[in-house]
Amino acid sequence: MNESTLWPDHAAPAPAFCGEDERAKIFGTHDFNSLGGDPELAEITSFAARLCDAPVSLVTLVESERQRFLARTGVDIDETPRSTSFCAHAMMQGGMLVVPDATKDPRFADFELVTGEFGLRFYAGAPLVSAEGAPIGALCVIDTAPRPNGLTDLQQHGLTVLAQAVKRRIQARRESRESEAEHARRNAQFRTLGDWLPDIIWSSDGEGRFDYYSGRWETVTGSKPPIDIEGWRPFIHADDWDATYAGWAECSARGDTYEAEYRLRQADGGWRWTMARALPVRDERGTVMRWFGTLTDIDEKRRQADSSGAVAHEMAHRIKNIFALISGLVSVRTRGRADLREFGEDLVGTIAALGKAQDFVQLSGGEGSGDLRKLVRGVLEPFSGEEPAHISVEGDTAPIGARSATPLALVLHELATNSVKYGALSAESGRVAVALEAESKDVVLRWVETGGPEPVAQEGRGFGTRLIDMSVTAQLDGKIERDWRKEGLAVTLRLSCEKLAH
């Protein structure tokens, strides 16, 4: 008579997932070898033995030909043949398998463990099933004395709970292995990408210890990469080291984005200009956990920029010489000609304004953008005389490009010249207030004269008026309004920020 039982008393259905081919695939997704000697599983088997008052407890894996033990208490062997495995039967059950006396169970009575020296009589095993439903083994307790009454309800429940803990431990190790494999795969992809890119890619931990460089580092420098900031010293030009080190130390301390240009030593011993950038990666508390950076070769661009700057400087110098020559020729040609003196003085002043604009463009970086307020003050400075308070420039500012600087300088010069001749600056008490105000996408320049003679509206359109209008509307794409107030002339220029920046 078969005295084996399933707990609870009614037989639960066997798992549907039990094909050997599928089981083999599922086994392959687990790293069972890494669980050999696992302290958590060892603790579970020890507690299961005490709970069930059994001399032996095992966590078993049933493979195609053998049964091996991931953890064991009470025996010294590591495996047995599957053909004599109780757990091979237990794992196929829908619930716990209990064998009160193996000598009376036809399935197990002839097993070596039963008939031999070991003398197995009692067995209770809770099945271990993978997340997919594949039976993989059991958590069991074994005794050499039969137990007609099997396990108590508490022991049965406890063994079931411990089996669940075993399954969680196995699944956790599996997920950890998969996570490690995914991490390794992503790292391999990142390294492949890093080695493929023309830039040098690097990373460091939050303390600034460098732990990764793409293969480009050794290709470019011909050397092994440094592991700390001091190790970079031989690779950065001596003239650039102090500023580079100070910049990195400051950004690293504050956790700010880092950017610098320096000369990097090459494999052939030469030096090439390099752009270094680094971004911090923070945790949820804002602490910098890692840095990721790049080194980009900008040597050719840097040398082209230096060359262009030298050419631009030389051109600016020659243009100023031309302005000086023209001014001299005008002065010579109008000398002794009373009818041309005023015209000559105006022309020389206009040429001087062009020179001011050229100086401004050069100081602003050639083709780059300068500061509008500085340009206004620079052009009007010669008209302030010994009392700078006669002309005030206040308010907002905006970028102004090289193309816009010259026509605006001409406009300001013409307004100031007319004020000196006919307006506020012709009187000792006269004042000119220039206010700059940003309005949406425009900049409004207001020229207000006070303290001078009452202005007379000009009915005709002289050369100066046409020059101002042409410069504002045609070259600056702006608008101009004039108000011939009793207190003094007021002029409003509305200029596009976008156009002004060119």
Side-chain angles (χ1 to χ4, degrees):
M1 179 173 121
N2 184 349
E3 295 188 2
S4 315
T5 60
L6 287 168
W7 293 72
D9 292 336
H10 63 278
F17 196 143
C18 57
E20 283 302 310
D21 290 341
E22 292 299 321
R23 272 189 2 101
K25 291 180 181 178
I26 298 302
F27 263 71
T29 64
H30 292 77
D31 185 16
F32 287 127
N33 289 333
S34 67
L35 287 171
D38 183 78
E40 185 173 343
L41 294 182
E43 186 65 27
I44 289 174
T45 58
S46 176
F47 182 72
R50 293 197 302 272
L51 173 68
C52 298
D53 193 22
V56 177
S57 178
L58 304 166
V59 172
T60 66
L61 290 176
V62 179
E63 299 176 347
S64 60
E65 300 295 334
R66 64 175 178 169
Q67 168 185 265
R68 60 189 179 106
F69 309 143
L70 283 182
R72 63 183 186 272
T73 295
V75 295
D76 295 329
I77 57 176
D78 294 323
E79 61 181 69
T80 62
R82 178 175 177 173
S83 60
T84 60
S85 168
F86 282 69
C87 292
H89 292 265
M91 73 178 185
M92 302 303 294
Q93 305 296 331
M96 185 181 301
L97 173 64
V98 178
V99 181
D101 187 347
T103 62
K104 298 179 181 181
D105 190 312
R107 293 173 298 176
F108 311 116
D110 295 332
F111 282 8
E112 173 67 23
L113 289 173
V114 178
T115 61
E117 182 180 351
F118 186 80
L120 186 153
R121 294 293 180 267
F122 173 75
Y123 172 92
L128 301 177
V129 181
S130 74
E132 297 86 354
I136 58 176
L139 169 65
C140 68
V141 290
I142 297 171
D143 199 345
T144 55
R147 295 188 183 186
N149 296 322
L151 298 176
T152 67
D153 288 343
L154 176 62
Q155 291 170 332
Q156 173 201 343
H157 180 68
L159 196 61
T160 302
V161 170
L162 291 174
Q164 293 296 326
V166 172
K167 286 191 284 188
R168 285 194 295 271
R169 179 69 186 106
I170 291 174
Q171 181 63 18
R173 182 64 191 100
R174 180 190 191 184
E175 292 174 355
S176 174
R177 179 173 179 264
E178 290 173 349
S179 177
E180 291 169 0
E182 177 64 16
H183 181 68
R185 185 183 67 82
R186 290 182 179 274
N187 270 349
Q189 288 180 336
F190 176 76
R191 290 176 182 274
T192 299
L193 178 62
D195 292 343
W196 177 78
L197 291 173
D199 290 0
I200 295 173
I201 313 295
W202 59 264
S203 70
S204 74
D205 62 16
E207 302 300 320
R209 292 182 289 267
F210 298 89
D211 52 19
Y212 168 74
Y213 293 82
S214 63
R216 288 286 299 168
W217 172 273
E218 292 194 22
T219 301
V220 171
T221 67
S223 302
K224 294 293 183 182
I227 60 174
D228 55 33
I229 185 61
E230 186 62 30
W232 283 68
R233 184 187 290 268
F235 299 99
I236 297 176
H237 196 284
D239 293 344
D240 306 329
W241 170 254
D242 289 342
T244 300
Y245 180 86
W248 169 250
E250 182 178 354
C251 290
S252 180
R254 295 201 312 259
D256 292 343
T257 299
Y258 174 72
E259 185 170 307
E261 294 182 12
Y262 52 76
R263 284 160 287 184
L264 184 70
R265 195 189 74 194
Q266 305 296 295
D268 61 3
W271 301 89
R272 291 182 67 85
W273 281 101
T274 300
M275 167 70 77
R277 296 185 179 92
L279 290 173
V281 177
R282 304 178 185 273
D283 62 14
E284 63 277 2
R285 294 172 298 179
T287 303
V288 176
M289 301 301 296
R290 295 199 64 75
W291 289 86
F292 288 95
T294 60
L295 301 178
T296 306
D297 189 305
I298 59 168
D299 194 74
E300 185 174 349
K301 292 182 179 179
R302 179 69 181 247
R303 296 183 189 279
Q304 287 177 348
D306 292 345
S307 176
S308 298
V311 172
H313 180 78
E314 179 62 23
M315 288 183 64
H317 178 70
R318 295 190 180 191
I319 290 172
K320 289 185 67 175
N321 287 342
I322 292 173
F323 285 161
L325 176 61
I326 294 174
S327 296
L329 290 174
V330 171
S331 298
V332 169
R333 291 295 185 180
T334 59
R335 187 179 302 157
R337 296 283 301 274
D339 57 328
L340 295 178
R341 189 180 69 177
E342 183 177 352
F343 171 76
E345 290 175 350
D346 286 349
L347 188 56
V348 169
T350 300
I351 294 172
L354 291 174
K356 282 283 184 181
Q358 181 63 31
D359 288 341
F360 174 81
V361 170
Q362 181 63 23
L363 290 174
S364 300
E367 294 298 323
S369 293
D371 185 277
L372 173 62
R373 193 164 51 208
K374 288 183 179 180
L375 173 65
V376 175
R377 287 174 176 169
V379 172
L380 297 181
E381 182 181 5
F383 297 92
S384 298
E386 297 180 358
E387 295 289 338
H390 284 182
I391 300 178
S392 64
V393 181
E394 303 295 340
D396 303 322
T397 190
I400 180 169
R403 296 180 183 178
S404 300
T406 298
L408 185 59
L410 291 176
V411 170
L412 294 169
H413 172 78
E414 192 63 29
L415 289 173
T417 298
N418 289 338
S419 182
V420 168
K421 291 181 179 179
Y422 317 112
L425 295 181
S426 67
E428 183 66 27
S429 59
R431 299 288 185 271
V432 173
V434 179
L436 300 169
E437 184 178 355
E439 292 186 1
S440 185
K441 297 181 179 181
D442 296 335
V443 173
V444 178
L445 186 154
R446 293 184 173 88
W447 173 286
V448 179
E449 300 185 21
T450 57
E454 182 176 345
V456 178
Q458 298 181 7
E459 299 296 335
R461 291 178 57 82
F463 173 76
T465 301
R466 292 197 303 273
L467 176 63
I468 291 175
D469 290 351
M470 180 181 67
S471 298
V472 173
T473 59
Q475 294 182 272
L476 296 174
D477 196 20
K479 297 179 181 179
I480 182 169
E481 296 178 2
R482 296 177 178 85
D483 184 4
W484 306 93
R485 308 173 311 142
K486 182 177 180 180
E487 298 85 355
L489 174 65
V491 178
T492 300
L493 303 179
R494 182 174 293 275
L495 308 172
S496 165
C497 289
E498 183 179 357
K499 184 72 174 181
L500 201 63
H502 291 168

